Amino acid sequence: MTVLDQRPAVGPLGERPEVHSIGEHGSSPAPIGVSVPRRDGVAKVTGTAQFTVDIDLPGLCHARLLRSPHAHAIIRSIDVSAARALPGVVAVVSAEDLRDVNLVYGHAVADHPLIADGRVRFAGEPVVAVVAEDALTAEQALDLVEVDYEPLPYVTDPLEALKPEAPLVHEHRYDRGEHRGFDEKLEGEHLNVSSRAEHGWGDVDAAFAAAAHVVEGEYYYPMAYAYAMEPYTTVARFREGNLEVWASAQHPYMVRADLARCFGLPLANVRVSVPYVGGGYGSKSYTKIEPLTAALALRAGRPVRLALSVEESMSTIRSVSAILRLRTAFDADGLILARTGDLYLNGGAYAENSPRVANKASLRFMGPYRLPAYHVVSRAVYTNTVPGSSYRGLGGPQAVWAGESQMDEAALQLGIDPVELRRRNLLDKGERPWPNSRAFDADLRADFDVLTERLGYPGETGTGRGRAVALSASDGGAEPIGSAIIRLHSDGSVTLMCGSAEMGQGSATVLPQIAAGELGLPLERVHLLQSDTAFISYDRSTGASRTTTVMGLCIQRAAADVKRQLRDWAAEVLDVNASTFAEELGGLRHDGELLTWDEIVRRWFGGGSGEVVGTGYVRRAGVTQELPLFWEVGCLGVEVSVDTETGETRVDRLVTIGDVGCAVNPIMAEGQDIGGAMMGMGIGLREELVYEGETLVNGNLFDYRVPRTTDLPSEVTSILAERGDGVGPYGAKGGGEATVNPIAPAIANAVQRAVGVRIREAPLTPERVWRALQQRR
Amino acid sequence: MQESKVARPQVDVRLTVNGREHELRIEPRQTLAELLRGPLALTGTKVSCDSQVCGSCTVLVDGLTVSSCTYLAADADGRDVRTVEGLANPETGELTVLQQSFIDYAAFQCGFCTPGFLITASSLLEETPRPTREQVIEGLEGNICRCTGYQQIVDAVMAAAERSAS
């Protein structure tokens, strides 16, 4: 039975399409659950939305970077005299000119100098910066800089880097950064291991000894480039002893902390302001070029803009590739007894966030399955390549690639249908995936039934075609640390202040929806200010799918704080007991009269003005004590067609269930699920960064192929499951990173069903598929 | 945006942008994107790949889609340029059916690729008012989006076509 994509007929202008949703999430105030138009919508369709590169300041000058051609070298000398003399050049800067700055930053491992200092560790590392009146002059000045390098032996492969004779990327260990996020033991590890994570429970040895079937394999997931279409851009200015930075950054407060440390400034004297971010996907999480830009502003004595090109951005941060050696033990009925693994992640020249990626990958191999025993060790390894860091899914895409490929391999080996094998092992809602973790908060069993039904699994597909599924469960939400401020003004309008950034995921719309709902006010009365550390209170980060949950809780608490104060104020003004009030939408009812919030403000202050300020905090306590904050669950299936002559593989149908608890804005939640699936599809079929020798050979968009409209499956079915089972407002959980995890293994599984070859190395390029087909013949 | 303080050869160009005539002194090497985003302060047009691959910088020159990151500003002399800022009604601010459909169908997220998509899609619909879904997909192949996964963009363009017809 084929399932047709049943999009409703087009309605008149202004009418939104319906989103298919299953489940009941309980009651919530308007406009929660309404696909209201994006708050940044008009600005983005008229071109008035401001991004960092659109910012202009008086006296702004422009920076360009000279980058190392060598993967590993000592910098013997730098001659900038000719460059400095070029008319229009304002400053030429290397590490030697920055001895009054703490050059090194790094939230997980403090190993990264903001500009190369005596040594370069990857081809593309910035060595000298030129600041000039205009970009062309800066580029011309770069040609006049002379750098004398002494090349050193280099290593680009993580397994090579672990050999005793391997060149050392770093010659000593560094202090652990305060945000590394987990404990680790590094004694006895090769110096090229930047971090090591180990997780486990139960007795894996006994499990494997008792197993009826053992399935094992080595899988490979490539390095990829997130390609946020707005490249890295920062504007920096020192003024009156304060540092002001505008940046395309996901975590303004983390960047502020690094800047404060680099320049020896109190947090209060550092401002990081983030306008609309032109795509993030994890690639703009944590600090990037902000300290360097600020250092240039310091030396130039003027505001500086550093705007990288896409090619430069590809040599700034990439995602982390992984070699995953995994084993699963099954009993005779196909129940998993244990999973074990060793993961080697190519973290690049500086640790960046690869330690956390390694840590999460070691957990996300679990899958949404009942596991009596588990033991995984993962190592992030230094190599002389572009630094690897966060990417959507954070270790999930890598780990689930292996875990869900192996489930289908096991199904074949055990003679059990892959869907049935998963059903037998699925966690039930309420079970703890690992000891002391938050209980599984998704009815994945029900979602899986909907998925298989909509996919038409197994169905008859014809030759060269196949259908397959993949599931995932990620411990989502990162840290529960944040705050929000609500200011209700004397005219009843509201300023909502949240540290979350808007990078497309929709915080600019969802957060005001929550505030409006909580205060019982029309959405148009709520105005959001966001992502500016100067006047907005602390939020730890925008990532890990945490914003609706964590910032949403902060907003609920801030609204409660506002209402509690206004209740007290009204009691004072009317000289009655506060218990005599009944809360209603937009105010308090007393003696048959509705006192609106703003009226209470005006009467309390007198003189018709004033405002009430409410704050809400979230920390690891109460409902957010247990970690993870929520389980982000991936549940998707694909139908592929393979051209056996060329190896070309297409995804023709995609079905995905987004189990989000409560979709504050359903059409936006759906967009995140589809976007994530297509992003993961890119790595499943096409994308990989390739090193030959010390050089990244496809660090440009001609040779690195991201998905285009023509890659869109002809049938995309996106369904939301909303059962109100999350800890966030109205039972919300996180979304946006679920689909990127299972899509690549779903494709590999479908290819195996279509043409009988198992490919353990992503991406499944036509060449790889074709070679596999040849080998089978 | 400031103009260069370094003395370089200049040429005069006269062009119409979004219905307004401009006379400017520019450098021959400058791209149309630099002219639009710089002296004309029309920052809606975005530069991403800077090499004609991604479509973000797409504008219309004499009604044809052009990658403004590579098209020389001097070549726009005497021509009629339209950018994303020139789509909505200049007096009332009323959005086009296409722009409103983008909002209704959530056809953008971060918004960086959106101006390019709107220009390309406007041109597509002008040429083919009732396109098939395949024609929309082919017509937009030159525009990259990283956020949406394209489904909602294609839906929005199809909806705009249907709404304009009725």
Side-chain angles (χ1 to χ4, degrees):
Chain A
M1 179 183 77
T2 35
V3 177
L4 292 175
D5 187 12
Q6 283 149 6
R7 287 200 171 259
V10 172
L13 219 50
E15 191 174 288
R16 330 295 308 288
E18 274 173 45
V19 171
H20 187 174
S21 176
I22 58 178
E24 287 291 324
H25 65 76
S27 71
S28 55
I32 306 305
V34 178
S35 294
V36 302
R38 286 186 71 110
R39 271 307 188 68
D40 48 3
V42 174
K44 286 178 176 174
V45 301
T46 57
T48 56
Q50 187 172 73
F51 299 81
T52 306
V53 73
D54 302 323
I55 288 170
D56 196 10
L57 297 174
L60 185 70
C61 43
H62 304 267
R64 284 290 188 270
L65 302 177
L66 185 68
R67 297 174 178 274
S68 166
H70 302 289
H72 199 194
I74 291 172
I75 300 169
R76 279 214 287 246
S77 67
I78 301 175
D79 184 357
V80 300
S81 47
R84 280 207 175 117
L86 188 69
V89 168
V90 174
V92 184
V93 177
S94 73
E96 285 311 312
D97 305 297
L98 296 170
R99 292 302 168 209
D100 54 337
V101 173
N102 297 319
L103 289 180
V104 177
Y105 67 93
H107 67 280
V109 180
D111 64 2
H112 199 160
L114 56 87
I115 198 167
D117 186 4
R119 191 181 198 99
V120 292
R121 295 186 172 86
F122 68 97
E125 183 165 7
V127 178
V128 177
V130 173
V131 180
E133 299 286 356
D134 60 73
L136 177 62
T137 303
E139 272 170 38
Q140 288 170 336
L142 289 184
D143 288 339
L144 300 175
V145 174
E146 285 180 27
V147 183
D148 186 24
Y149 297 99
E150 182 190 312
L152 297 171
Y154 64 87
V155 61
T156 58
D157 176 85
L159 294 180
E160 289 297 316
L162 293 178
K163 292 186 173 162
E165 66 274 19
L168 294 179
V169 179
H170 295 270
E171 308 207 297
H172 59 85
R173 292 222 175 277
Y174 298 85
D175 289 337
R176 308 285 93 190
E178 55 192 47
H179 290 303
R180 93 185 152 280
F182 61 99
D183 295 323
E184 62 183 343
K185 301 180 189 65
L186 282 172
E187 305 92 61
E189 291 290 335
H190 195 294
L191 263 182
N192 280 340
V193 173
S194 73
S195 82
R196 178 184 183 281
E198 183 172 359
H199 291 282
W201 59 85
D203 187 342
V204 294
D205 292 333
F208 275 90
H213 304 275
V214 171
V215 185
E216 57 189 304
E218 180 172 304
Y219 305 83
Y220 180 73
Y221 196 85
M223 317 174 174
Y225 173 56
Y227 186 28
M229 295 185 76
E230 181 200 12
Y232 297 107
T233 310
T234 302
V235 174
R237 166 171 79 183
F238 280 88
R239 193 155 76 155
E240 295 172 24
N242 300 312
L243 170 58
E244 295 177 301
V245 166
W246 292 261
S248 185
Q250 291 175 229
H251 308 337
Y253 298 84
M254 296 256 182
V255 173
R256 180 184 68 167
D258 281 333
L259 289 171
R261 208 172 295 113
C262 287
F263 296 94
L265 290 170
L267 292 175
N269 294 89
V270 178
R271 175 185 187 187
V272 178
S273 181
V274 174
Y276 292 121
V277 176
Y281 329 112
S283 71
K284 292 185 181 162
S285 61
Y286 305 100
T287 298
K288 303 284 180 273
I289 58 171
E290 298 86 357
L292 176 54
T293 314
L296 300 183
L298 186 66
R299 286 290 87 92
R302 285 169 59 178
V304 170
R305 178 198 292 145
L306 177 58
L308 301 191
S309 67
V310 165
E311 284 83 1
E312 288 185 283
S313 299
M314 292 177 88
S315 283
T316 299
I317 287 288
R318 58 170 172 81
S319 75
V320 177
S321 59
I323 297 158
L324 309 116
R325 296 177 179 155
L326 300 168
R327 303 168 77 213
T328 310
F330 292 87
D331 73 8
D333 296 320
L335 294 180
I336 300 174
L337 297 174
R339 298 195 109 167
T340 63
D342 280 291
L343 317 184
Y344 300 90
L345 284 78
N346 189 341
Y350 298 102
E352 292 289 322
N353 205 38
S354 58
R356 289 177 70 102
V357 175
N359 183 43
K360 289 305 183 184
S362 66
L363 289 165
R364 290 166 182 183
F365 171 52
M366 265 182 53
Y369 305 118
R370 191 171 298 116
L371 298 183
Y374 190 76
H375 184 241
V376 176
V377 176
S378 79
R379 293 174 175 85
V381 182
Y382 283 124
T383 62
N384 296 111
T385 62
V386 172
S389 193
S390 302
Y391 178 94
R392 199 168 189 170
L394 212 88
Q398 295 90 336
V400 177
W401 164 248
E404 283 298 280
S405 292
Q406 192 160 93
M407 280 302 274
D408 263 41
E409 290 187 56
L412 201 61
Q413 194 173 313
L414 273 60
I416 302 173
D417 175 83
V419 166
E420 174 58 25
L421 182 65
R422 287 176 172 83
R423 281 208 174 101
R424 289 185 195 177
N425 288 286
L426 267 187
L427 287 162
D428 288 314
K429 190 188 259 194
E431 276 190 79
R432 290 187 195 281
W434 68 66
N436 303 316
S437 70
R438 178 180 290 274
F440 200 57
D441 53 9
D443 188 353
L444 185 50
R445 239 175 237 298
D447 296 342
F448 198 32
D449 287 344
V450 174
L451 171 67
T452 51
E453 192 256 325
R454 290 303 299 261
L455 185 62
Y457 185 93
E460 290 298 318
T461 51
T463 23
R465 305 183 65 84
R467 289 178 193 155
V469 301
L471 305 174
S472 64
S474 290
D475 50 321
E479 318 291 339
I481 299 173
S483 64
I485 297 172
I486 291 179
R487 299 167 53 199
L488 194 147
H489 303 291
S490 55
D491 67 347
S493 66
V494 169
T495 301
L496 171 65
M497 301 165 79
C498 301
S500 316
E502 169 58 76
M503 53 178 172
Q505 90 287 31
S507 59
T509 307
V510 163
L511 301 180
Q513 281 182 264
I514 296 173
E518 291 294 303
L519 293 168
L521 294 173
L523 182 58
E524 313 81 68
R525 301 295 275 166
V526 178
H527 177 60
L528 172 69
L529 298 175
Q530 59 185 137
S531 56
D532 190 319
T533 68
F535 59 96
I536 297 176
S537 59
Y538 185 88
D539 180 46
R540 196 171 181 282
S541 61
T542 307
S545 310
R546 72 193 277 286
T547 298
T548 298
T549 300
V550 178
M551 189 53 70
L553 285 171
C554 292
I555 293 170
Q556 284 188 309
R557 292 168 189 185
D561 187 29
V562 163
K563 289 187 279 189
R564 184 188 47 73
Q565 292 180 73
L566 291 176
R567 193 178 266 268
D568 288 344
W569 292 5
E572 266 185 62
V573 162
L574 296 179
D575 197 21
V576 296
N577 199 295
S579 61
T580 62
F581 299 128
E583 187 184 319
E584 277 186 23
L585 284 181
L588 298 174
R589 185 150 309 265
H590 171 77
D591 252 4
E593 194 196 330
L594 181 71
L595 285 161
T596 59
W597 304 128
D598 50 296
E599 185 180 345
I600 299 169
V601 168
R602 290 193 303 275
R603 287 175 68 170
W604 192 78
F605 277 97
S609 53
E611 70 181 62
V612 59
V613 183
T615 53
Y617 301 105
V618 165
R619 65 185 183 119
R620 196 164 165 203
V623 297
T624 51
Q625 172 72 44
E626 259 192 330
L627 293 182
L629 292 178
F630 52 83
W631 290 95
E632 194 164 5
V633 168
C635 180
L636 66 71
V638 297
E639 181 173 323
V640 305
S641 54
V642 181
D643 182 332
T644 50
E645 300 283 300
T646 63
E648 179 97 23
T649 302
R650 249 202 84 80
V651 177
D652 291 319
R653 294 176 58 225
L654 167 68
V655 182
T656 175
I657 318 293
D659 195 318
V660 294
C662 168
V664 176
N665 192 312
I667 199 173
M668 282 168 49
E670 185 182 67
Q672 282 279 292
D673 268 357
I674 298 173
M678 289 297 288
M679 189 169 262
M681 185 199 294
I683 300 178
L685 289 175
R686 301 278 197 198
E687 294 176 45
E688 60 180 330
L689 292 170
V690 177
Y691 268 85
E692 274 170 26
E694 60 185 349
T695 317
L696 177 62
V697 294
N698 63 341
N700 64 75
L701 286 180
F702 294 100
D703 299 317
Y704 184 86
R705 194 199 176 288
V706 297
R708 292 191 178 257
T709 52
T710 42
D711 296 306
L712 184 63
S714 42
E715 195 184 301
V716 173
T717 304
S718 164
I719 297 169
L720 300 177
E722 302 182 72
R723 301 186 186 94
D725 39 21
V727 77
Y730 328 111
K733 295 179 280 191
E737 287 181 279
T739 50
V740 72
N741 298 328
I743 180 127
I747 292 171
N749 292 341
V751 166
Q752 198 277 321
R753 291 177 72 83
V755 291
V757 294
R758 166 58 58 183
I759 297 168
R760 292 178 175 166
E761 193 177 350
L764 270 65
T765 57
E767 182 182 339
R768 281 205 181 101
V769 175
W770 184 87
R771 284 190 193 282
L773 287 167
Q774 301 315 303
Q775 264 169 15
R776 200 183 53 135
R777 284 179 197 140
Chain B
M1 304 283 171
Q2 299 159 295
E3 288 166 32
S4 170
K5 290 182 190 166
V6 174
R8 290 203 185 94
Q10 314 252 281
V11 293
D12 291 325
V13 293
R14 183 189 261 144
L15 71 166
T16 307
V17 180
N18 298 331
R20 286 176 88 185
E21 258 203 37
H22 296 275
E23 214 173 295
L24 295 155
R25 183 148 283 191
I26 58 157
E27 293 176 42
R29 65 169 184 96
Q30 279 182 295
T31 64
L32 181 56
E34 285 167 344
L35 183 154
L36 293 169
R37 291 179 52 80
L40 295 186
L42 294 168
T43 56
T45 301
K46 302 301 182 201
V47 174
S48 179
C49 76
D50 205 21
S51 49
Q52 291 192 87
V53 172
C54 74
S56 297
C57 68
T58 309
V59 299
L60 295 174
V61 177
D62 287 346
L64 294 177
T65 53
V66 139
S67 291
S68 65
C69 69
T70 319
Y71 191 95
L72 290 176
D75 286 340
D77 185 43
R79 299 195 190 279
D80 181 28
V81 176
R82 193 153 294 267
T83 71
V84 65
E85 291 96 336
L87 293 176
N89 184 302
E91 266 104 62
T92 64
E94 188 184 348
L95 301 177
T96 63
V97 173
L98 180 67
Q99 285 172 307
Q100 184 61 48
S101 300
F102 263 55
I103 291 176
D104 296 339
Y105 282 75
F108 55 93
Q109 293 178 23
C110 82
F112 205 76
C113 74
T114 306
F117 266 98
L118 286 169
I119 293 289
T120 304
S122 300
S123 175
L124 171 76
L125 291 176
E126 183 119 350
E127 207 175 289
T128 314
R130 299 301 305 271
T132 63
R133 198 172 175 90
E134 287 65 40
Q135 283 176 313
V136 171
I137 285 171
E138 293 291 329
L140 295 177
E141 195 186 13
N143 289 74
I144 296 176
C145 173
R146 295 297 286 156
C147 292
T148 66
Y150 303 111
Q151 174 81 354
Q152 290 165 324
I153 294 177
V154 176
D155 287 348
V157 177
M158 293 298 291
E162 193 165 328
R163 285 166 166 178
S164 297
S166 55

